[in-house]
Amino acid sequence: MSDIAIARVGRRRAKYRPVTEDSPLARYALIATAVLFLALFLLAPLAIVFLDAFSKGIEPFLAAFHDPDALAAIRLTLLVAALAVPANLAFGLAASWSIAKFSFPGKSVLITLIDLPFSVSPVVAGLVYVLVFGGQGLFGPWLAEHGVRIIFAVPGIVLATIFVTFPFVARELIPLMQEQGKVEEEAALTLGASGFRTFLTVTLPNIKWGLLYGVLLCNARAMGEFGAVSVVSGHIRGLTDTIPLQVEILYNEYNNVAAFALAVLLAGLALITLGLKTLLEWRHADELSGRARRH
Amino acid sequence: MTSPILVGKGARRFTAPSVIPGFGLTFGYTLIYLGLIVLFPLATLVWWASGLGLSGLYAIAAEPRVAAALRTTFFISFAAAIVDLFFGLIVAWVLTRYDFIGRRLLDAFVDLPFALPTAVAGISLAALYGPNGWFGAPLADYDIKIAFTRWGILVALIFIGLPFVVRTVQPIISELEVELEEASATLGAGRLQTVLHVMLPPLAPALLTGFALAFARSVGEYGSVIFIAGNIAYVSEIAPLLIVVKLEQYDVAGATGIATIMLAISFSVLLLINLVQAWSGRRFGHV
């Protein structure tokens, strides 16, 4: 980077373009292409959410939140995230502790398996739970006999959400804890700290920003998941509809303002997530895992 | 005397000795949780599919409506990944190599498709490209329809796949060595020659990986597509939607068949990515 900066100063003084810089024409053409592409494909869809939500003024926008079904959807979404995120957080901590602090055979296979849910289509993620717990599924008859509902009920929604958000915390913590090694923990333990105390006072402070980063992404996906939840929810209004499913219902009823009003909540969540994520990457880049971020 | 069996056991411990506690607890919990949440449900799918047999799977894939949906999904996902490859490279290049006002903001926004729930992306794209939308209305004057056609699917999949290419290529571009460019220029290459012959080849593995990730994600994408696709059977119906349709008709076997085919494809892509990265590690020293 510093090489380039120096080269730029030199260019102004001597009016020569360094050989490692593209011609101004190429540069402006490429910047224009990139900005135009991002504006058309990313920014326009984001802008339209807010514009359509307020297209008839603020009153109809607010009215959308007086609908009891909408409120039920918001409550359910919060409940699902409150269950799914801590579950995957606990898993992420356990998985990264055992993988980063110990050596055992088959470790890379285990890491690949943890990443597996990212390669499965959300719809297939929902389907596998229907095959296990649904009416025609493996445990379906037994569950029906005992009056337990998992599919087309809240437990199924929580399970499907846990599946699609499964790797977020673990895949952030595993490389981070591997980079940090185990010397500090070993020092604490030899000085007489208990295992749990070592984790709380040595490991946790080291990984806190990475942990927050993983939780942030996990939560955003948990609240916004559509495909997997749609398969297991059964779309019972006021009971098993999360915010994204309620958006779909309202949109299909041509109730655009209400659909986009709820969508504003999710788009706002996405913007906050992006903002915090970017802030973490700027401020605490060295305390996050250095590996390329793909999800 | 220590019994030889115990010595043998000690020599073949599963994990190397360590003062750090908690291996049994955390490793056990990891395996149980992974098994219950991910592996067991996926194994159930495979078990259902094995009940269908290869001939059963083939019969499902050969149903005209299923075959059309699979073709639509793979063909348009491929096309979208190509578009993302091209523009993703330009975006990654511009964001890494040039400095201009708003660069960091734009850089942050590249992750929008990861953060924006797919249903929201779906309805906003449908609104944009619909007959009364910002882009749909002017295009309609030229008799171009995007929303509720296959072009709509393409637009949604381009949106979904873009960050995969940009985020895979970006770190490799920033690691390119200036010395190589200088050497190339000293040896008499023009700027375009340097870019094409010196700078792009090391990017090839990352580009291929980004392309494969975008493609794999597009094949499974559901939420952002169904609102803009119009979902006309044989024309603009995608495979994940057909799984949902089959389930609604209580055709669990049909849904399982399509899911198995999609799963097989995405695991092959995953394998391909790993092979590319292994090759790239040997060839260029980075992944």
Side-chain angles (χ1 to χ4, degrees), chain A residues 155-243:
Chain A
I157 298 176
V158 175
L159 280 173
T161 306
I162 290 179
F163 185 101
V164 293
T165 59
F166 188 85
F168 278 107
V169 181
R171 68 149 41 206
E172 177 61 32
L173 288 187
I174 292 169
L176 179 65
M177 279 167 74
Q178 277 178 330
E179 283 163 29
Q180 291 177 344
K182 53 185 180 182
V183 184
E184 291 182 29
E185 281 81 4
E186 281 168 349
L189 288 160
T190 26
L191 290 171
S194 70
F196 188 61
R197 181 141 181 243
T198 304
F199 172 73
L200 278 188
T201 53
V202 177
T203 312
L204 208 53
N206 278 339
I207 60 169
K208 59 175 186 280
W209 297 118
L211 192 72
L212 183 63
Y213 192 93
V215 166
L216 213 61
L217 298 186
C218 181
N219 178 64
R221 180 71 191 267
M223 290 190 169
E225 177 53 29
F226 177 74
V229 168
S230 156
V231 171
V232 296
S233 130
H235 305 272
I236 309 161
R237 289 184 83 139
L239 281 179
T240 63
D241 271 338
T242 58
I243 303 177

Side-chain angles (χ1 to χ4, degrees), chain B residues 11-225:
Chain B
R12 255 180 267 144
R13 280 179 59 122
F14 181 65
T15 170
S18 167
V19 293
I20 297 179
F23 179 74
L25 178 72
T26 54
F27 186 69
Y29 183 71
T30 301
L31 286 191
I32 291 171
Y33 189 79
L34 176 72
L36 286 181
I37 298 286
V38 177
L39 300 183
F40 178 70
L42 284 177
T44 310
L45 178 81
V46 176
W47 180 70
W48 263 85
S50 68
L52 295 170
L54 271 182
S55 55
L57 278 180
Y58 182 77
I60 290 168
E63 275 174 42
R65 192 172 166 191
V66 177
L70 286 171
R71 257 201 313 275
T72 305
T73 300
F74 288 116
F75 182 70
I76 300 181
S77 296
F78 194 82
I82 296 272
V83 175
D84 282 331
L85 185 68
F86 181 72
F87 285 101
L89 175 62
I90 293 178
V91 169
W93 182 270
V94 164
L95 290 177
T96 324
R97 302 282 300 199
Y98 307 149
D99 211 359
F100 54 95
I101 301 160
R103 182 186 63 87
R104 294 183 99 178
L105 194 66
L106 219 52
D107 192 33
F109 265 110
V110 167
D111 279 334
L112 184 74
F114 288 157
L116 194 69
T118 53
V120 178
I123 64 168
S124 64
L125 287 172
L128 271 182
Y129 291 92
N132 303 316
W134 281 0
F135 303 154
L139 287 171
D141 293 342
Y142 296 95
D143 270 337
I144 302 173
K145 270 191 75 179
I146 303 270
F148 318 124
T149 70
R150 289 172 160 210
W151 293 104
I153 305 177
L154 182 69
V155 167
L157 294 182
I158 291 172
F159 174 85
I160 284 300
L162 183 72
F164 289 93
V165 177
V166 177
R167 291 301 183 226
T168 315
V169 178
Q170 237 176 344
I172 312 296
I173 293 183
S174 66
E175 278 166 22
L176 285 177
E177 289 169 44
V178 187
E179 287 80 359
L180 284 182
E181 293 172 54
E182 287 169 351
S184 161
T186 327
L187 292 170
R191 184 63 187 157
L192 190 65
Q193 269 182 310
T194 303
V195 169
L196 290 182
H197 296 295
V198 177
M199 303 180 73
L200 282 186
L203 297 183
L207 282 168
L208 196 56
T209 304
F211 172 83
L213 287 170
F215 174 74
R217 171 69 201 262
S218 294
V219 167
E221 182 53 26
Y222 175 70
S224 58
V225 174

Side-chain angles (χ1 to χ4, degrees), chain A residues 19-20 22 41 45 48 51 88 91 94-95 97-98 102-103 105 119 121 127 129 131 162 166 251 277 293-294, chain B residues 14-15 20-21 23 26 30 33 37 93 97-98 109 111 114 124 126 134 159 167 191 213 220 250 252 259 266:
Chain A
V19 288
T20 53
D22 302 323
F41 275 87
I48 207 81
L51 287 174
N88 284 336
F91 165 73
W97 183 268
S98 60
F102 301 90
S103 52
S119 347
S121 165
L127 172 72
Y129 284 105
L131 295 180
I162 290 179
F166 188 85
Y251 186 81
K277 174 176 171 296
R293 301 170 199 295
R294 286 167 192 155
Chain B
F14 181 65
T15 170
I20 297 179
F23 179 74
T26 54
T30 301
Y33 189 79
I37 298 286
W93 182 270
R97 302 282 300 199
Y98 307 149
F109 265 110
D111 279 334
F114 288 157
S124 64
W134 281 0
F159 174 85
R167 291 301 183 226
R191 184 63 187 157
L213 287 170
Y250 299 101
V252 178
S266 39

